[in-house]
Amino acid sequence: AASDVYKRQVMTRAVLDAALSDAFSDAEVRERVGATGDVTLERRIQHAVAISAFHPAAKSAADQIRRVGNAAAHADLSLEVEPLSLLEALQECIHALDQWDQSPT
């Protein structure tokens, strides 16, 4: 059903946003990428790329999650993605954050 697709896409986006919010403070993101006002998921992704927490595959996965989540939040289901594909994209992002967090400083 369309409502299940909507929920899945919006919740996946919310999980990614929460993971990035936990990893990087708004102040860090603002300083690195020059965000003003509310720090958006797009800016958090840019920050993750800028500090090498996200490699190209993780950035691509994060951008996909952001796009489909945004579309679903605006009742545009034209970007519907298979549930497994969405979970794999989220896993790619979480794994990249986990690897970055564990890397020696």
Side-chain angles (χ1 to χ4, degrees):
S3 67
D4 290 340
V5 171
Y6 164 82
K7 288 176 192 171
R8 221 178 3 253
Q9 293 180 180
V10 170
M11 292 307 296
T12 304
R13 185 194 182 287
V15 169
L16 177 60
D17 200 15
L20 290 172
S21 294
D22 285 350
F24 315 121
S25 72
D26 286 359
E28 284 178 273
V29 175
R30 283 188 190 101
E31 184 177 325
R32 175 71 60 173
V33 298
T36 58
D38 290 339
V39 175
T40 64
L41 178 56
E42 183 175 20
R43 295 289 188 235
R44 290 185 197 289
I45 294 168
Q46 289 172 349
H47 177 73
V49 171
I51 64 169
S52 300
F54 274 3
H55 46 75
K59 181 194 184 307
S60 177
D63 284 339
Q64 177 191 30
I65 291 167
R66 183 183 59 78
R67 280 192 311 273
V68 298
N70 287 352
H74 296 287
D76 174 6
L77 296 180
S78 64
L79 295 178
E80 183 177 345
V81 176
E82 289 296 317
L84 184 57
S85 176
L86 208 53
L87 286 175
E88 288 170 345
L90 183 59
Q91 182 182 15
E92 180 76 41
C93 296
I94 300 300
H95 180 72
L97 279 177
D98 207 31
Q99 292 297 106
W100 172 80
D101 190 44
Q102 295 177 16
S103 64
T105 54

